[in-house]
Amino acid sequence: MSEPQIAKPLKTWSHLAGKRRKPSEYEIVSTNLHFTTDNPDAPFELDPNFPMAQWFKKNRNASPLKHGDWNAFRDPDEIIYRTYNMLQDGHENYVFGLFDQFSARGHDAMLEDGWARHLARLYTPGRYLMHTLQMGSAYLSQMAPASTISNCATYQAADSLRWLTHTAYRTAELKKTFGDLGFGTGERGIWENDPAWQGFRELVEKGLCAYDWAEGFVALNLVARPAFEEAGLRALGQAGRHNGDTLLGLLTDAQLADAERHRRWTGALVKMALETEGNREALQNWLAKWAPLGDAAIDAFCAHLPDSPGAAQTAREACAALRRGYGL
Amino acid sequence: MALLDRAEWYDIARATNWTPKYVSQAELFPDLMTGAQGVPMEKWEVYDEPYKTSYPEYVRIQREKDAGAYSVKAALERSRIFEDADPGWRSILKSHYGAIALGEYAAMSAEARMVRFGQAPGMRNMATFGMMDENRHAQIQLFFPHEYCPKDRQFDWAHKAYHTNEWAAIAARHAFDDLFMSRSATDIAVMLTFAFETGFTNMQFLGLAADAAETGDFTFASLISSIQTDESRHAQIGGPALQVLIANGRKAEAQRLVDIAIARAWRIFCILTGPSMDYNTPLEHRKQSFKEFMQEWIVGQFERSLIDLGLDLPWYWEKMIAEFDYQHHAYQMGLWFWRPTLWWNPAAGVTPECREWLEEKYPGWNATFGKCWDVITDNLLNGRPELTAPETLPIVCNMSQIPICAVPGDGWNVKDYPLEHEGRLYHFNSEIDRWIFEQDPARYRDHMTLVDRFLAGKISPPNLLGALIYMNLQPGEMGDDAHGYSWVEKFREPAKAAAE
C-alpha cells in the first residue's frame, strides 16, 4: 500500500478547489452546508428510523423530484446574508420614506370611505396570507436538499414578514382615520369567512400541508405566490391607483420587487430540475393539481376588486406565462 | 403626522393565528413537528417575546453589525496576528470553526421549524429573525476562517468537519441533531433557545470574545461579540414558551426537556470549551479556570433563570457540578492522546508552570491527571514518542459519542454505566447520559458509535490508519502537538539535575 499523500493547504474549501475559478463570497459561505443529506439512510446522527428521521426520509429524500446533485444549485442573484440586509435596508428606507411623506400630506384623510371599506376587506386581511407564505418558505428552508435552496427560502420567508409588517403598519394607520371600519380587529373574521379570501385560504392551507418538499415548492412558489402577487399585490395596487390610493400602488410595486427576485431563483431551480428525466412529469402532475386552485383563488379575489375589469384574466395569464417561462 | 411608533402596530403584526377550514388543525400542525404537548393553539397566544424587534429595525441593525465585523476583518487582514499568535490559540480557532459553523447552519433549520410549526405568532416572527441570525452565523464563521485556508490545511475543516466521520464531528452531530435538528418547534424553543443558548452559548461567546481580545485577535473578538448580540436576542424565544407550558400544567414535560438539553450541552462545552480554557489558552492569557467560569455563569446565573421561570434544578445538578472538577481534564487527555484523529493541534498545556496553575485551580490534579502526564512526559524525554501515541480503541459513550473517561491515578473513578435495551448492551459515561437514553430509547436505539462501526467491520484496514481514512483525515490535516513538543524541554533541565 502506498503512503497516503500529504494534504497541502488549498486556496479555498476542498469541495470548491476543483473548480477552475476563484470562488465568490457567495460560494464560500453558501454551498454544501446541510450535513443531514450526507447519509440517505440516516438523516440524523441518531437512530436511522425514529419518527423525525422518517419524516425527512419520506418528505425530502424520497421526493418524486430527483436530482443527482442538488448542491449544484446556485441563486442567480447570489444573495448572501450581508448583501440581503444592505438591499432590504435600502428598500425599507424607501418604503418608510413613502409612509412618512404620504402621512405628512394627509393621504388617508383624502381616501374615499368606499375605497377604505375595500381596503378593510381586500388589503389588510392579506397579512394572514402573507404570514402563511412566511411559514411555507420556512418549511422549504428546513426541508430543501441543498443549502443554496434553503438560503433562498430563508430570505423569502423574511421578505414575507416584510410584507406582513408593511400591512400591519398600514392597518394601524388606516385605523386612525377610519376608526369604524374594523381595521386591526376585523381581519381574522374576513380571512376566515369572506368569499374574496376563501380561494386563497384553501390554496395556502392545503399548500402548507404539502409536506413533500418539492410538492410544497410547487404549491407555494409556482402557484400560490404568483397568484397572490398578481391578484393581491399587482391588481390590488392598480385598483388603488384608480381610487386615489397612490401609496398602495407604490407599496405593492416595492413588494413585487422582492417577488421578482424570488421568481429568478424559482425559475433557476425548475430549470435545474428539468435536467433530470422524470421531473417534468412530476412537476406537471403537481401543477395539474395545484394550478386550478391558484386560478380559483385569483377569480374569487378579483371578483370583488373594484374598477378592475379583466383583472382575474390578466392575473391568471400572468401566472401561466410565468410557468411557461420556467419551461413548464 | 409622522411615522408611527412600533408599539402602535406591533401587535397587529403578531395577530396571525387563524382556524384552518380546508385542512384539519392536526394536518396543519402535526404533533411530530409542533410538539405542543396538548396545549391548544389559543393558549399559546399569550406568548409575549421579551425582546421585540421588527423587520425594518432588523435589517438596519444587522447591516450595521455586519459592516462593523467585516471592516475589522478587512482592516486587520494584513496584520500578523495569525502568524504571531500562540499555536494554542490557532488550535482554538480551528476547533471552534469546525465544530460551530455548520452547527449554526443546522440551527437555522431549527429556527425555521419554529417559524413554520410554532404555535404562537410572536414566536414565529421572532424565529424568523432567529433563522436569519443563524444564517448569518454560519456564513460569517465560514467567511472568516476561509481566509486562513491557504495558510493551513486544517482550516478546511471549518467547512468540512460536519461532512466527515471524524469522531468529534460525530459527537457534535449527535448532540446537535438531538438538541434541535430532529426536534419539534416547541422542543426547539425549550432546548435550543432556552437551555442551550441562554444557558451556554450566550455566556460561552462572551468568554470567548474576552479571551480573543486578551490574545490580541481583535478580528475574532469583534466577530464573536457581534454574534453574541444576536444570540442574546433570539435566545429569548424559549422563556415565554416555557411559561405557556408551565401555565398549562406541562411543567414536568418542560422540565424533562430542559434537563436533557442541559446535560447534552454540558458535554459539548466540557470537551470543546474546557480544554480550550484550561490547556490551549496560553497561561498568561487565562482569566478564569473553566471550573470558575462554569460556577459563575452556569451555577450563578443560569440557575437563577431556571428558578425564576418556575422550573427546578435538574435532578443531576450536583453530579454535574462535581464533574466541573475532572471531566474536561479527562477529555483533554483523550484529545491530546488521540491527537492524530483531530483536525486541530491540541496544546498539551502541561509545562511546569501550567501544572502549578492546574494544581492551584484543581487541587489534587498532580496526583491524578498529573500522573498520566508524568508518564507521557517521561516517554517524550526518553525519546520514546511512539509510546505516547494511541494503539487501542477506547469505549465510547452511546450518548455523548465521546470516550468514557473520568479521574485516573489516586482518585480513580472511571466507570461504565451500562444498560441493556432490547437485547443490545449500551455503555454510558455517567448516570446522566444513561438517563437521557432512557427518556426516549427510540431516538437512539440503532445508532452506532464509531467503535461499534469498527467492531462491525465497517472500517478497514481495522487499525488506526483505517480509522483515519474513515474519518477523512490525511497527513497534513491530522492533529499533532500544537507546540511541536517544545514544552517537554522545560522538564529536561530539572530532570537532569535530579539525576545528578
Side-chain angles (χ1 to χ4, degrees):
Chain A
M1 209 174 101
S2 59
E3 281 290 300
Q5 287 204 324
I6 294 188
K8 297 199 172 57
L10 299 167
K11 285 187 176 139
T12 182
W13 305 133
S14 45
H15 83 96
L16 292 174
K19 307 261 193 279
R20 289 161 76 185
R21 60 177 187 170
K22 202 175 166 186
S24 63
E25 183 178 350
Y26 168 77
E27 286 177 295
I28 292 165
V29 303
S30 316
T31 52
N32 298 39
L33 306 183
H34 284 311
F35 50 86
T36 62
T37 46
D38 289 350
N39 177 0
D41 298 325
F44 304 109
E45 191 68 56
L46 296 165
D47 184 278
N49 292 306
F50 75 111
M52 190 63 88
Q54 287 182 11
W55 182 283
F56 275 78
K57 282 175 156 181
K58 177 177 171 221
N59 294 307
R60 186 186 62 195
N61 301 0
S63 173
L65 202 71
K66 307 280 182 206
H67 197 283
D69 183 17
W70 286 116
N71 277 314
F73 176 75
R74 296 289 182 269
D75 170 12
D77 285 51
E78 300 210 338
I79 298 282
I80 58 174
Y81 181 86
R82 161 173 111 84
T83 54
Y84 177 86
N85 287 312
M86 292 177 184
L87 185 75
Q88 295 300 62
D89 182 34
H91 290 173
E92 284 294 271
N93 276 331
Y94 167 69
V95 164
F96 278 78
L98 292 179
F99 289 161
D100 203 11
Q101 282 175 33
F102 278 80
S103 157
R105 71 173 75 139
H107 171 264
D108 289 355
M110 292 187 277
L111 293 176
E112 285 178 14
D113 210 56
W115 174 245
R117 285 176 200 279
H118 284 301
L119 290 175
R121 184 183 180 196
L122 298 174
Y123 172 53
T124 58
R127 79 165 185 272
Y128 285 89
L129 187 128
M130 290 161 169
H131 189 63
T132 65
L133 298 178
Q134 180 186 346
M135 292 163 70
S137 296
Y139 186 69
L140 179 60
S141 170
Q142 67 194 282
M143 296 302 293
S147 51
T148 41
I149 305 172
S150 294
N151 288 350
C152 289
T154 289
Y155 308 140
Q156 188 179 46
D159 290 337
S160 307
L161 176 57
R162 175 180 187 229
W163 300 356
L164 155 60
T165 303
H166 297 158
T167 307
Y169 184 95
R170 283 294 293 146
T171 305
E173 208 170 31
L174 286 161
K175 187 186 173 71
K176 286 179 180 284
T177 305
F178 303 98
D180 55 345
L181 296 184
F183 283 112
T185 51
E187 285 88 6
R188 179 170 175 168
I190 293 169
W191 166 246
E192 291 185 351
N193 300 305
D194 193 295
W197 286 104
Q198 298 318 297
F200 275 123
R201 186 165 163 231
E202 180 177 0
L203 173 58
V204 293
E205 285 184 2
K206 289 181 174 169
L208 283 173
C209 295
Y211 288 121
D212 178 281
W213 81 270
E215 185 177 3
F217 166 76
V218 168
L220 296 175
N221 276 45
L222 296 186
V223 178
R225 280 184 174 275
F228 175 69
E229 288 151 11
E230 294 305 323
L233 297 181
R234 201 184 310 275
L236 178 73
Q238 279 161 359
R241 289 193 185 101
H242 286 274
N243 287 277
D245 197 346
T246 314
L247 174 60
L248 183 64
L250 288 170
L251 178 59
T252 54
D253 284 348
Q255 294 167 340
L256 283 164
D258 293 344
E260 288 303 324
R261 177 163 37 81
H262 305 161
R263 291 174 181 194
R264 284 193 289 277
W265 65 258
T266 296
L269 184 55
V270 171
K271 189 176 165 207
M272 179 178 164
L274 290 176
E275 292 165 2
T276 299
E277 215 174 310
N279 282 344
R280 179 174 296 279
E281 292 68 31
L283 292 169
Q284 299 287 17
N285 286 343
W286 283 322
L287 276 182
K289 173 177 167 189
W290 292 98
L293 286 174
D295 287 346
I298 290 172
D299 287 344
F301 185 84
C302 290
H304 301 277
L305 265 186
D307 305 298
S308 305
Q313 196 184 342
T314 307
R316 272 191 270 112
E317 282 172 6
C319 293
L322 180 71
R323 291 188 284 261
R324 271 200 308 278
Y326 292 157
L328 292 169
Chain B
M1 296 291 277
L3 286 174
L4 301 180
D5 286 339
R6 185 224 285 153
E8 295 182 78
W9 50 268
Y10 190 86
D11 285 341
I12 299 175
R14 58 173 181 166
T16 47
N17 270 3
W18 82 101
T19 310
K21 176 177 166 189
Y22 302 95
V23 297
S24 70
Q25 186 78 16
E27 284 172 283
L28 191 58
F29 291 102
D31 198 47
L32 176 67
M33 302 302 267
T34 302
Q37 303 191 4
V39 177
M41 192 146 186
E42 61 274 15
K43 297 277 189 191
W44 288 91
E45 287 165 15
V46 300
Y47 179 102
D48 184 24
E49 57 279 15
Y51 195 132
K52 295 178 175 61
T53 191
S54 68
Y55 184 88
E57 293 167 281
Y58 182 84
V59 290
R60 177 173 53 79
I61 291 166
Q62 297 303 106
R63 174 190 186 160
E64 288 164 3
K65 280 189 201 171
D66 269 353
Y70 282 80
S71 63
V72 171
K73 176 180 186 292
L76 296 176
E77 215 141 59
R78 296 191 187 280
S79 74
R80 292 193 45 86
I81 291 168
F82 177 82
E83 285 78 7
D84 297 343
D86 185 276
W89 178 252
R90 289 203 289 272
S91 299
I92 290 175
L93 290 182
K94 291 170 189 170
S95 61
H96 170 86
Y97 284 124
I100 299 299
L102 266 60
E104 301 261 23
Y105 196 73
M108 181 184 89
S109 295
E111 295 277 345
R113 196 155 308 144
M114 292 193 284
V115 179
R116 169 60 184 85
F117 297 102
Q119 295 291 281
M123 187 207 247
R124 296 195 294 268
N125 284 355
M126 286 305 110
T128 305
F129 300 128
M131 173 177 71
M132 289 289 286
D133 290 340
E134 301 298 8
N135 183 261
R136 172 183 196 232
H137 301 170
Q139 296 198 344
I140 199 167
Q141 290 180 98
L142 287 167
F143 191 62
F144 281 44
H146 184 267
E147 178 194 347
Y148 301 137
C149 283
K151 302 184 186 191
D152 187 333
R153 181 64 180 256
Q154 288 178 331
F155 276 99
D156 188 34
W157 284 70
H159 182 282
K160 176 177 163 180
Y162 274 84
H163 292 299
T164 70
N165 283 315
E166 194 278 341
W167 68 270
I170 292 177
R173 280 200 302 271
H174 192 283
F176 291 145
D177 283 351
D178 192 22
L179 265 166
F180 51 83
M181 270 302 266
S182 71
R183 293 280 177 176
S184 70
T186 310
D187 288 6
I188 290 166
V190 172
M191 300 177 83
L192 171 62
T193 62
F194 176 73
F196 188 64
E197 292 179 337
T198 321
F200 288 83
T201 50
N202 215 340
M203 293 150 192
Q204 149 79 0
F205 275 47
L206 283 170
L208 202 53
D211 288 349
E214 176 73 23
T215 309
D217 190 343
F218 299 108
T219 304
F220 193 69
S222 88
L223 165 73
I224 290 296
S225 15
S226 185
I227 289 175
Q228 188 274 331
T229 60
D230 301 338
E231 293 280 327
S232 63
R233 169 170 33 73
H234 70 237
Q236 296 185 32
I237 290 173
L242 275 166
Q243 287 169 334
V244 171
L245 288 172
I246 293 167
N248 288 279
R250 304 297 190 279
K251 179 181 165 180
E253 291 83 348
Q255 182 80 48
R256 197 175 61 85
L257 293 174
V258 168
D259 292 0
I260 293 169
I262 294 175
R264 299 235 56 178
W266 159 239
R267 282 275 170 271
I268 291 283
F269 277 81
C270 196
I271 193 158
L272 195 62
T273 314
S276 286
M277 290 186 74
D278 285 356
Y279 294 89
N280 281 285
T281 299
L283 185 59
E284 63 274 22
H285 296 318
R286 285 180 212 161
K287 289 280 185 222
Q288 260 184 326
S289 70
F290 180 59
K291 178 184 175 181
E292 288 161 350
F293 177 83
M294 291 301 295
Q295 287 283 2
E296 178 179 342
W297 292 102
I298 303 301
V299 178
Q301 307 259 354
F302 187 47
E303 207 176 274
R304 193 173 329 135
S305 55
L306 283 170
I307 305 296
D308 286 350
L309 273 167
L311 290 167
D312 301 323
L313 297 178
W315 63 269
Y316 53 74
W317 204 240
E318 292 306 319
K319 289 179 195 295
M320 185 183 85
I321 291 172
E323 287 189 15
F324 294 175
D325 275 317
Y326 65 86
Q327 190 64 61
H328 68 293
H329 299 304
Y331 286 161
Q332 162 69 6
M333 290 220 60
L335 289 168
W336 191 88
F337 194 68
W338 273 281
R339 56 203 179 281
T341 68
L342 303 177
W343 68 80
W344 67 94
N345 300 327
V350 289
T351 62
E353 300 77 29
C354 288
R355 291 181 62 139
E356 218 169 279
W357 182 87
L358 285 161
E359 182 65 31
E360 181 203 322
K361 298 293 182 184
Y362 302 92
W365 187 93
N366 274 314
T368 53
F369 296 97
K371 287 195 166 173
C372 297
W373 285 105
D374 288 344
V375 176
I376 288 170
T377 308
D378 283 346
N379 282 325
L380 291 168
L381 280 171
N382 295 326
R384 307 191 66 184
E386 70 282 3
L387 294 180
T388 71
E391 279 191 350
T392 54
L393 290 171
I395 295 177
V396 169
C397 173
N398 279 103
M399 185 53 58
S400 69
Q401 309 300 310
I402 302 170
I404 290 175
C405 55
V407 184
D410 292 355
W412 181 271
N413 72 344
V414 186
K415 192 178 160 198
D416 175 25
Y417 293 80
L419 176 74
E420 201 180 314
H421 176 77
E422 294 182 3
R424 181 175 163 193
L425 184 62
Y426 298 85
H427 304 278
F428 298 99
N429 192 67
S430 72
E431 217 180 319
I432 310 171
D433 298 277
R434 182 168 64 189
W435 172 83
I436 301 172
F437 184 95
E438 288 169 327
Q439 300 314 298
D440 191 358
R443 293 182 70 79
Y444 315 106
R445 191 185 52 206
D446 290 338
H447 180 264
M448 292 171 88
T449 67
L450 187 63
V451 173
D452 292 334
R453 293 173 212 185
F454 199 89
L455 298 175
K458 290 178 187 291
I459 295 170
S460 72
N463 55 26
L464 182 66
L465 179 64
L468 290 169
I469 293 169
Y470 184 75
M471 290 191 264
N472 296 74
L473 278 157
Q474 304 176 69
E477 325 181 86
M478 54 180 72
D480 200 353
D481 183 82
H483 298 91
Y485 306 94
S486 60
W487 54 273
V488 180
E489 296 310 311
K490 298 202 172 185
F491 290 92
R492 200 168 299 276
E493 289 313 311
K496 216 189 269 176
E500 280 161 10

